[in-house]
């Protein structure tokens, strides 16, 4: 591309009254951007026709990289694929003020050419952002990541600033990100434009499932955006919340930092259960959590090549108190004294190391390259149950990940091509050296086997598994901006991924024993025999292509038009063959009582609506899903043309996948002679969600307001369910919420897998945002969401089992993952406190999550589900820091207080309604502890100290 050398009058920059975040504003017709931003606008001469063919450039102030284009025939220009950051914009040789763009944003900068002016200026509001387009979400800046209080350095912990999104940490430290009632497996995170999808385990993102660790070094994240609805066509393998993050890069100056965070039991208040344990003589052991790291970035050659390195470590010694439950029902006899003697204190140890190295270079004026390597190593010594497991009932869980990504960019006046090559390997390996059986002791208020509750767990951990996904990625995205009013983008993705799934979740026998409330002796309720280790390994090819056009149809109307297609050729091990011993039982006479002579077991199942032929795999009859066409449409309308009031709406379909671990469950369980029968339906489908939303974005003085309605309905969620039917095609004498366990003599339960479960969420939300300005010295954002979530899963949640699918009593249930009311407020100020102290805070209020109650008060063959209402959630977090500069850098000291007012937020409740007998609860059941909290759902008051040196 040639730079224009013709003389240009000096310029005056006029920005349409909608605006920028800290500098500029989201664009009217920009393309979606997974890891970049767009700067666009109009160049005109005063009282003259649009200026065509003018050279426009933007220079990155961090690394000196220059992005160039020329104006189109109508005087408009688009600089696409711009890395988030601060830029000097020029038309010819005339400079404008510095502008800043964020990931996924488009900044509208209109340039008016006027003679006699030497320095152009930016006019218009600087407090509006993301006002155009149909996406619903929230941007999280680097300042928020660094300044808002948090106890863990998981950058996703601020995802709940977006409407309807929750970031949950259970009492074991495991993390879950979820949007509405949609399955957490359908979340996806994109880092520098690359999907981090977990193909083998739950949680949506590799390394997020069953881990106390962080999926990525927070110190390497520059910023991110959470999109809860109506993402554009380039987003793949996501049908819930999409999170797109960009990493830091090195610049023309050498910069780095070193940090350390610390908290521990001496800085954390006791929760109610720890207080109870201490009253019973079991003290909380001393423990600590330390997080530490270093970053370094700078030039390899100024304006040409740069590097960035980040390391973060995390070490947790978390306390736990083993405390037997329902001791009020236990006599001081039999096995009881020996079990109670195993109560006590213990520490669970965790260690994680995260590394990232990034190198980028500008090869010439039209080409750039970027290479990123990332390593994660994690070990975690954890109990099977934090409260019930004695010291020996633990396992070692490791999470390891290696990723390498390479990107090449080529651009000219009208085109931008981004080519990517990637490699990934992620493994999850919980393992134990146990040789003793796992024994779960239980007790019953009625002293029968019907309504038992847990007391304590002894023996070894049965968990000994290995899961690994590894693969290569080839992806290419092409953007064209040469047609006035249109930004068109298309892409193709090919990924070859291999799965190595092995081990067993039951390496030792699992025994359930009931303690007699009179004698104290234990009797076996049931024994689940150990399952020999086995495995499957297979390869899967994933293909995706899309096209999208952001069309500025008029000066006020923006249309976002997109279509995506995805296909996988081997999602769930198509070559698997159902073992002959399992297949043989279906065509034989049904041997159970009540079966007419000549009626096979398959015919009995057919009477109940189960065509077992659909589930028998021959190794060639499994059919990949070919119908994953996903249209995604949106619009926004600027009512007055000044971006003060913008209406928006969107509708779209988004497909995702199911995890490969289901294929291992099928193979592993069927390898056990005479065991359970697990079968996946041969006609595979892909999970998808239809999304619809509309709303209004409104300027309110210094505030940005947004009100909207969202609707999402998810289909084809994979679930295992009870496949057995009695000879009449019914469910025997089972209660309405139970499957008919078993199958035919000689085998255990028939369990079928299919894409059957649905979920839906309706939400209304209100957002208010006051951006930071130097004059006010503070920023504040608030999001209120009213939600109603439902699911067809019998467990009222996103469990992988939906046992009663097919029963007439199955239907829609309240989702236990969705609060009716939720408010999140976050703010930062560097001018409220004296002495240059920085103050930050976050308030989270919720009406409480419902929970499911099993009510058997009218008989154990008439059990039903009932709704329990959890208590409200309220947490206030604050942070105070002081930064002191000196010749060789800056030192900052900081204190965060999580849950300042030490509110008790419960995370679980006793959901056993009890059986018939002496009514002791509101449902008439005999469990007097119904609704009693049994776990906490957030931290007690925790103080964390931090120190950081930066240069």
């Amino acid at each position: 591309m040639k730079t224009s050398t013709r003389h240009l009058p000096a310029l005056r920059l006029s920005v349409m009254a909608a605006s920028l975040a800290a500098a500029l504003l989201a664009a009217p017709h920009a393309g979606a951007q997974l890891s970049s931003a767009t700067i666009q606008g109009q160049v005109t001469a005063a009282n003259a026709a649009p200026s065509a063919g003018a050279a426009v450039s933007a220079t990155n102030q961090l690394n000196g990289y220059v992005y160039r284009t020329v104006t189109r025939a109508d005087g408009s220009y688009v600089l696409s694929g711009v890395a988030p950051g601060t830029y000097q914009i020029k038309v010819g040789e005339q400079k404008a003020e510095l502008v800043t763009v964020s990931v996924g944003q488009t900044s509208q900068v209109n340039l008016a050419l006027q003679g006699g002016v030497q320095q152009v200026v930016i006019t218009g509001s600087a407090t509006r952002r993301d006002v155009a387009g149909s996406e619903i979400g929230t941007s999280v800046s680097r300042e928020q990541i660094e300044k808002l209080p948090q106890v863990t350095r998981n950058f996703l912990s601020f995802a709940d600033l977006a409407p309807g999104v929750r970031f949950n940490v259970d009492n074991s430290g495991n993390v879950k990100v979820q949007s509405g009632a949609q399955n957490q497996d359908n979340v996806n995170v994109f880092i520098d434009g690359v999907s981090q999808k977990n193909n083998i385990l739950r949680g949506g993102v590799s390394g997020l499932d069953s881990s106390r660790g962080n999926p990525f070094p927070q110190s390497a994240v520059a910023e991110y955006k959470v999109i809860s609805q109506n993402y554009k066509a380039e987003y793949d393998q996501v049908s819930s919340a999409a999170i797109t993050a960009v990493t830091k890069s090195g610049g023309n100056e050498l910069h780095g930092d070193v940090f350390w965070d610390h908290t521990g039991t001496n800085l954390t208040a006791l929760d109610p259960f720890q207080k109870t344990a201490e009253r019973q003589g079991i003290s909380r052991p001393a423990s600590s959590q330390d997080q530490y790291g270093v970053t370094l970035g700078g030039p390899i050659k100024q304006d040409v090549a740069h590097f960035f390195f980040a390391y973060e470590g995390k070490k947790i010694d978390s306390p736990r108190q083993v405390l037997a439950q329902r001791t009020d029902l236990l006599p001081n006899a039999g096995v009881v004294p020996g079990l109670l003697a195993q109560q006590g204190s213990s520490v669970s140890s965790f260690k994680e190391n995260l590394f990232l190295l990034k190198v980028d270079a500008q090869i010439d004026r039209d080409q750039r390259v970027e290479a990123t390597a990332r390593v994660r190593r994690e070990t975690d010594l954890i109990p099977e149950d934090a409260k019930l497991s004695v010291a020996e009932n633990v396992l070692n869980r490791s999470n390891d990940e290696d990723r390498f990504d390479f990107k090449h960019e080529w651009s000219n006046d009208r085109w931008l091509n981004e080519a990517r090559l990637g490699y990934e390997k992620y493994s999850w390996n919980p393992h134990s050296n146990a040789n003793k059986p796992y024994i779960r002791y239980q007790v019953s208020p009625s002293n029968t086997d019907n309504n038992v509750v847990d007391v304590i767990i002894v023996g070894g951990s049965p968990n000994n598994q290995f899961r690994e996904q590894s693969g290569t990625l080839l992806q290419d995205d092409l953007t064209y901006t040469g047609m006035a009013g249109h930004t068109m983008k298309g892409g193709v993705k090919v990924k070859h991924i291999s799965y190595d799934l092995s081990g067993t979740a039951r390496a030792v026998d699992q025994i359930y024993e009931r303690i007699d409330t009179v004698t104290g002796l234990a009797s076996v309720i049931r024994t689940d025999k150990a399952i020999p280790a086995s495995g499957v390994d297979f390869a899967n090819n994933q293909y995706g292509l899309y096209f999208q056009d952001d069309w500025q149809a008029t000066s006020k109307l923006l249309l976002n038009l997109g279509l995506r297609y995805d296909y996988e050729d081997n999602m769930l091990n198509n070559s698997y063959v159902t073992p002959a011993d399992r297949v043989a039982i279906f065509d034989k006479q049904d041997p159970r009582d009540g079966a007419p002579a000549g009626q096979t077991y398959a015919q009995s199942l057919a009477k109940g609506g189960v065509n077992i032929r659909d589930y028998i795999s021959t190794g060639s009859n499994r059919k990949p899903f070919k119908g994953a066409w996903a249209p995604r449409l949106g619009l926004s309308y600027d009512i007055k043309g000044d971006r003060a009031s913008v209406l928006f709406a969107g509708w779209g379909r988004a497909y995702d996948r199911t995890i490969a671990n289901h294929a291992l469950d099928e193979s592993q369980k069927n390898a056990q002679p005479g065991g359970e029968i697990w079968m996946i339906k041969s006609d595979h489908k892909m999970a998808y969600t239809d999304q619809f939303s509309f709303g209004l974005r409104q300027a309110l003085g210094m505030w940005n307001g947004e009100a909207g309605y969202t609707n999402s309905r998810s289909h084809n969620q994979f679930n295992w369910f009870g496949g057995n039917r009695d000879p009449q095609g019914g469910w025997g004498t089972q209660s309405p919420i139970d499957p008919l366990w078993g199958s035919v003599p000689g085998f255990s339960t028939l369990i079928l897998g299919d894409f059957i479960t649905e979920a839906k969420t309706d939400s209304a939300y209100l957002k208010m945002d006051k951006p930071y300005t130097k004059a006010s010295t503070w920023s504040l954002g608030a999001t209120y969401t009213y939600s109603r979530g439902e699911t067809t899963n019998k467990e009222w949640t996103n469990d992988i089992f939906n046992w009663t699918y097919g029963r007439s009593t199955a239907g829609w249930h309240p989702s236990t993952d969705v609060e009716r009311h939720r408010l999140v407020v976050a703010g930062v100020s560097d001018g409220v406190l004296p002495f240059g102290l920085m103050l930050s805070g976050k308030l989270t209020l919720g009406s409480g999550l419902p929970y499911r109650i099993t009510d058997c008060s009218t008989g154990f063959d008439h059990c039903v589900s009932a709704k329990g209402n959890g208590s409200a959630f309220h947490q206030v977090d604050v942070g105070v820091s002081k930064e002191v500069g000196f010749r060789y850098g800056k030192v900052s000291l900081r204190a965060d207080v999580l849950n300042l007012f030490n509110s008790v937020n419960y995370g679980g409740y006793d959901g056993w309604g009890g059986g018939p007998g002496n009514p002791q609860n509101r449902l008439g059941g005999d469990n007097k502890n119904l609704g009693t909290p049994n776990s906490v759902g957030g931290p007690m008051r925790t103080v964390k100290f931090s120190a950081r040196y930066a240069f």
Side-chain angles (χ1 to χ4, degrees), residues 172 230 263 415 525 616 730 733 749 759 782 800 804 837 861 883 904:
S172 297
N230 299 331
T263 188
W415 297 92
I525 301 175
I616 297 174
T733 59
T749 299
I800 64 171
T804 55
L837 294 172
D861 57 349
E883 184 175 85
V904 179

Side-chain angles (χ1 to χ4, degrees), residues 379-423:
T379 60
D380 195 1
L381 192 66
I382 58 169
E384 287 288 331
D385 186 287
K387 187 185 298 181
L388 300 177
S389 294
V390 302
E392 65 178 344
N393 189 235
V394 297
L395 70 149
N396 190 349
R397 184 175 62 196
S398 63
N399 264 302
D400 295 339
E401 186 172 19
D402 301 303
R403 283 184 178 266
F404 175 79
D405 296 296
F406 176 82
K407 181 176 75 168
H408 174 270
E409 290 184 11
W410 171 86
S411 62
N412 66 12
D413 296 348
R414 300 289 183 258
W415 297 92
L416 168 66
N417 191 77
E418 299 168 284
R420 300 177 188 274
L421 180 66
Y423 169 79

Side-chain angles (χ1 to χ4, degrees), residues 205-217:
V205 183
S206 61
L208 199 61
D209 181 65
S210 304
S211 171
R212 292 193 278 173
N214 301 331
F216 196 83

Side-chain angles (χ1 to χ4, degrees), residues 69-87:
T69 190
V70 297
T71 54
R72 299 181 284 204
D74 63 351
S76 62
Y77 72 94
V78 179
L79 291 163
S80 59
V82 175
T86 300
Y87 287 86

Side-chain angles (χ1 to χ4, degrees), residues 33-57:
Q33 301 136 100
L34 280 168
S35 62
S36 60
T38 294
I39 301 173
Q40 65 179 31
Q42 194 81 19
V43 177
T44 59
N47 302 317
S51 179
V56 181
S57 66

Side-chain angles (χ1 to χ4, degrees), residues 641-665:
D642 59 1
R643 299 191 197 164
S645 303
V646 178
L647 294 169
F648 64 91
W651 175 86
R653 174 168 291 183
Y655 280 91
D656 204 352
R657 62 185 320 283
T658 193
I659 57 175
N661 194 64
H662 299 316
L664 175 63
D665 288 334

Side-chain angles (χ1 to χ4, degrees), residues 8 45 49 82 103 168 176 201 245 256 273 308 379 413 529 544 555 583 621 663 791 828 831 871 919 922 927:
L8 293 174
V82 175
V103 62
N168 297 324
K176 181 173 74 172
L201 296 173
F273 307 104
F308 178 80
T379 60
D413 296 348
K529 300 297 291 183
S555 61
V583 175
N621 65 335
T791 177
V828 176
S871 58
R922 62 182 176 86
N927 179 22

